[in-house]
Amino acid sequence: MASGNPFFDDLRSKPEVIDLPQNEDRLDSESVNEPTQTTTKPNLIVSSNVRELLECPVCLNAMYPPIHQCLNGHTLCSGCKPRVHNRCPTCRHELGNIRCLALEKVAASLELPCKYQSYGCVGIYPYYSKLKHESQCSYRPYSCPYAGSECTVVGDIPFLVAHLKDDHKVDMHSGSTFNHRYVKSNPHEVENATWMLTVFSCFGQYFCLHFEAFQLGMAPVYIAFLRFMGDDNEAKNYSYSLEVGGNGRKLIWQGVPRSIRDSHRKVRDSFDGLIIQRNMALFFSGGDRKELKLRVTGRIWKEQ
């Protein structure tokens, strides 16, 4: 929503990522989802007024040291200070180099709940550690794993499963084995076989089977790989195999499913899957080599 102040609107249209302070203690990644002990600091409940004081009036992000202020006491984050040409965006007075040490100390005394509280995170974190935790919180929502469009939907796993089924019309299957046939009438045009996605439910989890064509250098290739709908530490508990063949030959791939925390493109571009060169794919297809007919079989199992 426009503020009515063109100065503010121009700045808000250019958000910046503000680095965390280097001189404050942060949570180690191993304890990223462990709530802090609440007996050491009494200021657990933070009013909305205090949170507003710590919000930069330009970018609307939380402010971290150094927090700047003008002679009239209006505050500003360090990332926005050079963008306002040393003029306070509130009163237009010169900013100078005054730090608001009082507000920095207030922030250091605060403990706040994770912003993913509604997804199940019950942790309470020091103000200066909260962003670090949230960037790694295991409760943070997942991005939609659908690869056929730039889908921006996020949510937990049950929500995304329903989203894939209802909105993307993805095929859903139960069981740990599969046998899929991919047919394309013109395999010489890579864009005609860009992607396919099937979701499997087994072992109480969900897995995404991707199959697509893409350009590897000058040659088009096909790739099939599996992604796990959950975090990487859980994905490592499972393995899968893929097999494709024809005319008495076959290729076999065995691997560990990648978490959907890794984007579809990241997995594809790392070649972490069954890769089939086009000439080999057409050989497997048989016939006059003018139509792609690949049968990909596979299974998923849980490691003991």
Side-chain angles (χ1 to χ4, degrees):
M1 180 181 293
S3 66
N5 187 328
F7 180 79
F8 273 78
D9 294 337
D10 179 62
L11 290 170
R12 288 175 183 171
S13 65
K14 304 173 182 177
E16 285 191 7
V17 177
I18 309 302
D19 292 333
L20 288 169
Q22 300 299 314
N23 58 346
E24 296 291 339
D25 293 335
R26 303 183 191 172
L27 295 179
D28 294 332
S29 59
E30 292 78 11
S31 62
V32 71
N33 285 305
E34 294 179 4
T36 59
Q37 297 296 321
T38 61
T39 56
T40 57
K41 293 183 180 181
N43 301 331
L44 229 349
I45 301 176
V46 182
S47 70
S48 60
N49 290 336
V50 174
R51 296 193 189 190
E52 288 173 5
L53 285 175
L54 291 165
E55 185 180 88
C56 174
V58 175
C59 65
L60 303 182
N61 291 324
M63 294 187 290
Y64 295 90
I67 299 175
H68 298 279
Q69 70 174 28
C70 71
L71 291 174
N72 290 326
H74 302 127
T75 54
L76 186 73
C77 76
S78 58
C80 289
K81 184 174 182 287
R83 298 164 59 197
V84 299
H85 309 293
N86 206 37
R87 290 285 176 182
C88 174
T90 303
C91 66
R92 307 300 296 155
H93 284 182
E94 187 174 345
L95 279 172
N97 291 303
I98 306 172
R99 281 181 66 174
C100 188
L101 298 177
L103 191 55
E104 290 179 10
K105 290 181 179 179
V106 168
S109 70
L110 300 180
E111 292 179 334
L112 302 172
C114 173
K115 72 177 181 179
Y116 301 123
Q117 190 177 48
S118 62
Y119 287 94
C121 183
V122 298
I124 304 294
Y125 300 92
Y127 183 82
Y128 292 136
S129 300
K130 184 171 174 284
L131 278 185
K132 176 68 176 292
H133 159 76
E134 289 171 348
S135 70
Q136 300 174 338
C137 179
S138 62
Y139 290 96
R140 70 192 189 277
Y142 298 88
S143 298
C144 173
Y146 190 75
S149 64
E150 297 298 326
C151 184
T152 59
V153 169
V154 298
D156 58 18
I157 298 303
F159 174 82
L160 288 181
V161 170
H163 165 68
L164 288 171
K165 179 181 178 181
D166 298 336
D167 299 329
H168 293 300
K169 310 302 180 185
V170 169
D171 289 336
M172 301 283 176
H173 296 272
S174 296
S176 58
T177 61
F178 45 89
N179 185 336
H180 278 259
R181 193 178 187 191
Y182 300 100
V183 179
K184 289 294 174 182
S185 59
N186 189 356
H188 294 281
E189 295 184 12
V190 171
E191 61 271 17
N192 282 354
T194 51
W195 54 266
M196 289 185 182
L197 173 63
T198 307
V199 174
F200 294 90
S201 172
C202 55
F203 307 107
Q205 307 289 347
Y206 290 94
F207 300 82
C208 296
L209 175 64
H210 295 265
F211 179 84
E212 69 172 86
F214 72 106
Q215 207 72 29
L216 181 60
M218 297 297 293
V221 298
Y222 300 95
I223 184 171
F225 57 87
L226 198 71
R227 287 203 291 167
F228 175 75
M229 296 189 71
D231 280 337
D232 186 61
N233 60 332
E234 296 179 87
K236 293 176 181 177
N237 295 326
Y238 301 90
S239 295
Y240 74 101
S241 64
L242 297 174
E243 181 178 314
V244 63
N247 290 327
R249 281 87 169 173
K250 65 181 177 181
L251 293 174
I252 299 175
W253 163 267
Q254 180 173 321
V256 176
R258 296 279 287 272
S259 166
I260 60 172
R261 295 285 189 203
D262 289 336
S263 70
H264 158 268
R265 182 178 296 275
K266 180 178 180 179
V267 179
R268 187 198 69 184
D269 292 349
S270 66
F271 314 129
D272 193 0
L274 174 65
I275 295 179
I276 315 160
Q277 295 185 356
R278 186 177 65 183
N279 286 340
M280 182 64 73
L282 293 176
F283 177 78
F284 288 155
S285 299
D288 55 7
R289 298 168 63 92
K290 292 182 179 180
E291 186 177 37
L292 179 71
K293 295 179 181 178
L294 286 180
R295 185 176 297 280
V296 177
T297 61
R299 71 183 184 97
I300 305 166
W301 65 92
K302 190 172 184 179
E303 297 291 351
Q304 300 299 322

